[in-house]
Amino acid sequence: MPGGPVNDFLDQVETCVPALRRYARALTRNADLADDLVQDCLERAIARRGLFRPTGSVRAWLFTILLNIYRNSRRAAGRRGETVNLDSVAEPASPAPQPGHIALAELARAIDALPIEQKEVVLLIALEGLPYAEAATILSIPLGTLMSRLGRARSALRLATGVTAEPHLRTVK
Amino acid sequence: MSAVTHDDLMAYADGQLDPGRVGAVEAHLAANPDAASEIALMRRQSDALHALFDPVAAEPVPARLRARRIAAAQRQRRGRSWSWAVAALVLLSLGVGGGWFARPLFEAPAASAVLIADAINAHTVFVAENRHAVEVGRDDSAHLASWLSNRLDTTLGLPDLSAQGFALVGGRLLPGEPQLGGRAAQLMYEDAAGARITIYVTAALPDRQPAAQLASLDGAEAFYWANARITCTVVGTLPAERMQAVSQAVYGQLTDGDVSAPRYRS
């Protein structure tokens, strides 16, 4: 009796929740907004699970829903001015960055400053570790577009964090 | 062999390069220190992202983000009318008078849906455990009863289900809904074949009104009731008639025929 397709679906959803929360937090940098986003995503996915096609992965489907809700909420927020709570990410208590190391607080600010379509991509790949093809499906973009956004995001982060490929040439702002 | 592109370098850094290209890229890296440090930088970026945000994924998942609970709440909204009817029938079969249970049939008992979902979640998590199924085992049942009673601020007896073929495994204290007392006790019983049921008990709801409800979720059956002293949810995956016999025994022993008993121990 336990088991069966419904149970499998909910198990797969449960498995994805920690990653969805991490991704939502990285996107929004606000713990409450992020969990609201994940809750909306889960409620929609579970209510519409009859629409899910088992040919794709539950994970890709959940990320797609989450991103759609996020974009819609940003459009709504954009009209009344968005607030970003920077306190929600703790400043790491690290000493001054060593050459070749990346200062986490600088990186966090640099991610916030990325254009949204680059941020979505770089977090799906570098943080969530999704295969390129799966990320392209989630974002409904061709693979080539995904790769160029990923490349642009990475060089923007590199410039913004002041870290060059050669540690001894590290620029100081 | 085609030239190594920047996309190849990214794919190599991300561990997503086509295996057929790895040789070409590694040869390119050996000859181009700049490309090699570019790869190292991309990997440091990924590591730094993980350092920033992995702690979020390691946090305990808040109750409101549990898939089973969301599914239960949605089911509850859809299935309210028929589940109330079934609960009413069960209460009649338990020999409970018709006067007091009429009330919950006409009010939306939102708290019960939450408690039932929590009970089923706790059941699913802990029946699968072998060594750590319970916090306090049956050998220490006197302590278990007094400990859980103190924590729930009520008197909690340990039902004897031997007539139904079930022996106590033990119990544990669990965090509960903050607005509903904040604590719950789970008792676990096992039959000779290893089938397990759990009983999820909390202090009475603020309204202290009697209520009863049946729910079925992902193969688990739950029988919930509330009185002025406690709420209790029996969860199991037994066939219907055994579930009913066990629920009836638990209900009889924990209610003790006194649904209006004081909430607090004297």
Side-chain angles (χ1 to χ4, degrees), chain B residues 13-44:
Chain B
D14 289 328
Q16 298 203 32
L17 187 64
D18 183 313
R21 297 282 296 153
V22 170
V25 169
E26 285 179 348
H28 178 79
L29 293 180
N32 295 278
D34 284 357
S37 43
E38 168 107 28
I39 298 259
L41 174 66
M42 287 193 262
R43 286 185 171 158
R44 280 202 304 277

Side-chain angles (χ1 to χ4, degrees), chain A residues 45-61:
Chain A
I46 290 166
R48 298 177 193 171
R49 62 190 168 203
L51 300 177
F52 175 68
R53 294 285 157 264
T55 48
S57 79
V58 170
R59 176 174 70 174
W61 193 54

Side-chain angles (χ1 to χ4, degrees), chain B residues 149-204:
Chain B
S149 296
N150 283 328
R151 290 296 178 269
L152 298 187
D153 225 353
T154 183
T155 305
L156 177 62
L158 304 179
D160 176 0
L161 302 178
S162 49
Q164 288 72 36
F166 280 87
L168 181 68
V169 178
R172 64 168 67 240
L173 187 69
L174 293 168
E177 300 296 326
Q179 68 279 25
L180 302 177
R183 291 186 173 122
Q186 184 190 51
L187 302 174
M188 189 181 296
Y189 290 76
E190 193 172 59
D191 74 0
R196 286 171 165 181
I197 58 139
T198 59
I199 305 174
Y200 186 90
V201 182
T202 72

Side-chain angles (χ1 to χ4, degrees), chain A residues 9 36 68 78 80 86 92 99 112 141 154 170:
Chain A
F9 175 82
D36 286 351
N68 283 335
R80 54 169 192 269
L86 293 179
D112 286 344
I141 53 176
R154 279 193 159 128
R170 183 171 182 275

Side-chain angles (χ1 to χ4, degrees), chain B residues 20-21 24-25 33 46 69 72 84 126 128 134 137 226:
Chain B
R21 297 282 296 153
V25 169
S46 299
R69 188 180 139 136
W84 289 358
F126 290 113
V134 294

Side-chain angles (χ1 to χ4, degrees), chain A residues 7 22 39 100 130 132 154, chain B residues 14 16 44 54 64 68:
Chain A
N7 215 6
R22 172 175 57 197
Q39 186 176 357
L130 294 190
Y132 295 151
R154 279 193 159 128
Chain B
D14 289 328
Q16 298 203 32
R44 280 202 304 277
D54 276 359
R64 68 180 174 123
R68 284 200 159 61

Side-chain angles (χ1 to χ4, degrees), chain B residues 8-90:
Chain B
D8 286 331
L9 295 182
M10 281 200 296
Y12 184 80
D14 289 328
Q16 298 203 32
L17 187 64
D18 183 313
R21 297 282 296 153
V22 170
V25 169
E26 285 179 348
H28 178 79
L29 293 180
N32 295 278
D34 284 357
S37 43
E38 168 107 28
I39 298 259
L41 174 66
M42 287 193 262
R43 286 185 171 158
R44 280 202 304 277
Q45 281 179 347
S46 299
D47 290 347
L49 281 170
H50 281 284
L52 272 174
F53 298 112
D54 276 359
V56 179
E59 286 170 13
V61 172
R64 68 180 174 123
L65 302 184
R66 292 200 301 242
R68 284 200 159 61
R69 188 180 139 136
I70 292 170
Q74 289 178 357
R75 206 187 158 89
Q76 194 69 31
R77 285 196 288 275
R78 278 199 310 273
R80 199 164 267 154
S81 50
W82 68 258
S83 64
W84 289 358
V86 175
L89 286 176
V90 167

